[in-house]
Amino acid sequence: MENPSLLSLIVALLGFLSPCLTRLTPRVSFPMSSPGRHLTRFSCRDVSNTTTLLLSEDGDMLYVGARDAVLALDVSHKDAIILRSKLDWSPSEKDLEQCSMKGKKMADCPNFIRVLQFLNTTHIYACGTFAFSPRCTYIHSETLTMSIKPDEGRGRCPYDPYQRNTAIIVDGELYTGTVADYRGNRPVISRHLSEARRVDLKLDDTLGWLEDPTFISSSFSPDEEKIYFFFSEVGREYDFIDKFIVSRVAQICMSDVGGQRTLQRRWTTFAKAQLLCQADNELPYNVIQDIDTLPPAEGAPADDTVFYGIFTSQWSVNSGRSAVCSFRLTDIKSVFSGNYKVLNRDTLQWSTRVQEKVANPGECGLHNASDNALRFVKENFLADDSVRPVGRSLSMVSTDHNYSHLTVQRVKGANSKHYTVLFLLTESGYIHKAVLLQSGAHIIEEIQVFEQPQPVKSLKLSIPKGMIYVGTSEGVVRVPTANCSFYWTCPQCVLARDPFCGWDPASKACVEASNTQTSLGQDTEKGNVEEACNSVSFTHRARFGPNKLPAGELVTVSLNEVVRLQCPAASQLSKQLWERPNSRLSSDLYLHLEDGSLSFVATPATLGHYLCLSTENGYQQTMAIYHVKQKSILMAQTPGYTWPQTHPIPTTKAGLHASVGTWPKRADTRQQETEPTQSSWDTQVTTRQRDRNVTFRTEESRQKEAEFRDGELLLLARGPCYLKELVVVSVLLVLCLSLLITMLLYVIRQRCRSRTAPQAGTPTRHSDRRTPVEQEALRGVLSKRNGQALHSGQASRLVCNGALTGSNGHLPNTPI
């Protein structure tokens, strides 16, 4: 692609064509130190940066490569991690001074252990950065002592503690992918500790073999006797303005000993191909973060080996997203056996090979080939085709979390079907446990393992012990892969859709599927409670039937008071619903809040019973029951009665607190598995957010409650008395109406009189006929009479202009 504008157009089009991604929400979340998820932690005051983990074959000993030390941890105990021995391996003061003189920070100059591999049954091979001067040594696995003096580790371990590397030992030989110089400009894939007549090999320095790679992981294929390396690098085959990162898989043959004349002490079987984590009509997730190998099932061919990797994207459209892709070994072999690109040394442009094929690049045994064949494989090492993911689709996409590490396990369910379970470490400090189903990925739970994001981390899975080990800056955290005891009812056990767990009807407990041979209730694929638990749920009529009003938590309120009823969530995937007996919750009276609670104003119409239901995957269960009563009525009718109190039963369930709500004892629509001899309402339900206590009631309290309910029903049948309130309101209404009518009549009368009164300064027709002498006399009489009337208090009416008026508007005793 030579036109940059064409690339921009394609990126924009693919961004618009990208389908809406389904948000993956963990069903249950366990915060730090939650009793619902038991974790074991190891930390020591002088131990930090546990960057490398190595687990013994039996899973009882964990070797840890930390800063300036190698540890041997006994992990065979269930509730503790014990430090058996410690090997201090730190640079001298002189080494630290030289590191500082090179311009490096003192915090980066200690010895960070980056290679830790079993050499044989008695020794471990370890390498560290050692103040930017790598060193390697042999360590006795029993005593944790050095067998020989450390030697130079250039090409085996990185100089910089923050540079990623990979290392694997097969048959006593070390295969590494790292950088071989101080500045980090010479990446190499090499073999060390070669035995017999074999020699150490590395890549040729020819331009194009590796382009600024970031090594991720390596894997051994015993069937082919090949080592596969996974890394990301700059894709020079794409002619873009910006550097385009691509993910790669490379291979070398263990039998390779280099060429006789051409490619002496160089790999003759090196080949690489692109890993394309991309769905149809979407931009690729092109930057690989981590990868893990899932061996084939027992009895399956080696070609069924699957590699699961975490990929991110450099495109802004997919920014903040992580994708999981899987690649089959058979597809990788098919790509390496196909055509290869050729690099033009003059123009540094890649093109599809068109000349005659002289040799098969990547084929084992080329060390005995001719110089012409070796020159051909030297120029043709990039496969023309890309390795596509299984099913040409993404295994999982997360829009909310950036995943950094993963490990994968195949689990056999109760139905004898195998499921793939991923354990993904997020940058925010959580482990996500996800199962891959035909309908898509399902995140069973998330566990917080550390509070703050860590600069360096490592992840190790112990399948025999059922444990995951996480290396952090403070120490090591052990997480059990299964947490079946947390699900204490059959519906919860089935809805978790965890292939590790199933419901045992005999013991009435959620147990690990691998630890029992009995038939377990489990439906990992669909989570169907009806079929897995073999019971029928109660209908809505059974919840609120005649004489079956449920007992619940009493809530006393005053009229016109705002009431808020809480409803704990069964999981983060459930939805809360509210019901009332023979009544519909109108949106005009009730407000459903985002946290599932119900809010309303207390009125005679809103008093009564409320039931909170949790719906998940088509199954409903009761989470809380409330009985809302008015305080005055309760005190007047039952002066000496108190509502029955709950009695918590001590429980040993470890998983009683999760961030989705500490679950109260539910009046589940399935009571057969918990209390088969009781009705659905014989278990009192509370909504204590900080406890999940099982409650019970004595026979005496049941009788008192029955008497109270009968009296309450009789009171509700008679209806409340509002006679006094009615009389008061009627009297007030009559007074208001009388006052209103009086004021209205007064206003009307005033308006009528104002229309008949003469206006000030306006002469009448009679005054116009008077002579000036009469008018002067009239003004004198008027002034005299007016003063006498006002002085004696005999004025009958007073108008706004101060004129005294009679019945016809004329002065009295004045001739017309």
Side-chain angles (χ1 to χ4, degrees), residues 430-467:
Y430 284 84
I431 285 183
H432 283 188
K433 177 181 175 182
V435 57
L436 301 181
L437 307 173
Q438 293 181 357
S439 58
H442 168 66
I443 302 181
I444 301 170
E445 58 184 354
E446 65 174 2
I447 309 109
Q448 187 178 10
V449 291
F450 45 85
E451 294 183 358
Q452 300 297 331
Q454 306 293 326
V456 283
K457 301 172 287 292
S458 53
L459 203 62
K460 198 70 176 179
L461 172 64
S462 174
I463 295 180
K465 299 296 183 179
M467 296 291 176

Side-chain angles (χ1 to χ4, degrees), residues 482-508:
N483 191 31
C484 303
S485 60
F486 176 75
Y487 310 108
W488 50 283
T489 65
C490 180
Q492 288 299 322
C493 186
V494 174
L495 288 173
R497 302 168 74 179
D498 190 341
F500 284 95
C501 305
W503 182 261
D504 185 9
S507 61
K508 295 183 179 180

Side-chain angles (χ1 to χ4, degrees), residues 577-588:
L577 302 176
W578 288 89
E579 286 188 358
R580 289 198 64 190
N582 302 324
S583 178
R584 185 177 66 89
L585 300 182
S586 174
S587 59
D588 298 335

Side-chain angles (χ1 to χ4, degrees), residues 141-413:
S141 57
E142 291 294 333
T143 60
L144 213 65
T145 57
M146 292 185 184
S147 300
I148 61 173
K149 184 179 179 180
D151 58 354
E152 184 181 2
R154 183 176 60 179
R156 310 178 189 186
C157 177
Y159 289 74
D160 193 330
Y162 300 104
Q163 280 183 329
R164 299 194 64 174
N165 70 302
T166 180
I168 185 173
I169 289 182
V170 181
D171 295 337
E173 296 178 326
L174 175 68
Y175 299 85
T176 64
T178 184
V179 292
D181 66 330
Y182 175 81
R183 297 181 181 275
N185 296 328
R186 291 182 55 196
V188 293
I189 292 178
S190 54
R191 181 177 68 200
H192 304 269
L193 312 178
S194 299
E195 297 181 347
R197 293 178 297 175
R198 297 153 63 89
V199 295
D200 291 350
L201 298 180
K202 64 179 181 178
L203 286 182
D204 189 79
D205 295 332
T206 304
L207 180 65
W209 283 52
L210 293 174
E211 298 285 352
D212 192 18
T214 300
F215 293 100
I216 301 299
S217 179
S218 53
S219 178
F220 169 56
S221 176
D223 183 63
E224 302 177 282
E225 293 190 348
K226 289 184 178 181
I227 307 294
Y228 289 98
F229 292 88
F230 299 91
F231 56 95
S232 63
E233 66 173 357
V234 178
R236 295 299 182 184
E237 67 269 30
Y238 298 98
D239 188 15
F240 294 162
I241 296 179
D242 296 331
K243 291 183 178 180
F244 178 55
I245 306 299
V246 295
S247 298
R248 303 287 197 196
V249 54
Q251 60 126 59
I252 52 96
C253 294
M254 295 176 57
S255 60
D256 197 344
V257 293
Q260 297 178 0
R261 288 175 297 273
T262 303
L263 295 178
Q264 289 185 3
R265 293 183 178 271
R266 301 294 187 267
W267 295 108
T268 64
T269 57
F270 174 79
K272 65 180 181 180
Q274 181 179 358
L275 289 174
L276 191 57
C277 182
Q278 180 184 19
D280 294 337
N281 299 327
E282 285 190 3
L283 288 172
Y285 293 84
N286 56 319
V287 184
I288 186 172
Q289 300 294 330
D290 194 20
I291 201 161
D292 193 27
T293 305
L294 181 64
E298 185 177 356
D303 285 354
D304 287 347
T305 301
V306 182
F307 302 96
Y308 284 87
I310 299 174
F311 295 81
T312 58
S313 177
Q314 72 179 102
W315 309 108
S316 58
V317 175
N318 291 334
S319 178
R321 298 176 181 174
S322 294
V324 177
C325 282
S326 59
F327 306 91
R328 293 188 185 276
L329 178 59
T330 181
D331 296 331
I332 295 177
K333 292 171 60 178
S334 176
V335 169
F336 281 133
S337 62
N339 295 328
Y340 281 76
K341 297 180 183 297
V342 61
L343 177 63
N344 189 324
R345 295 298 178 180
D346 297 330
T347 62
L348 298 179
Q349 297 293 323
W350 288 90
S351 61
T352 303
R353 181 182 52 82
V354 293
Q355 67 268 33
E356 182 182 356
K357 189 174 184 180
V358 179
N360 294 321
E363 183 181 7
C364 296
L366 290 176
H367 54 277
N368 294 323
S370 63
D371 292 344
N372 187 28
L374 292 180
R375 281 193 296 268
F376 180 83
V377 300
K378 181 179 179 180
E379 301 292 338
N380 298 263
F381 55 86
L382 177 59
D384 185 42
D385 198 5
S386 300
V387 183
R388 302 277 178 171
V390 176
R392 299 294 181 99
S393 62
L394 310 180
S395 301
M396 176 179 171
V397 179
S398 174
T399 60
D400 303 321
H401 304 280
N402 288 326
Y403 295 123
S404 60
H405 291 71
L406 92 161
T407 183
V408 60
Q409 180 180 356
R410 182 180 287 106
V411 181
K412 185 177 181 181

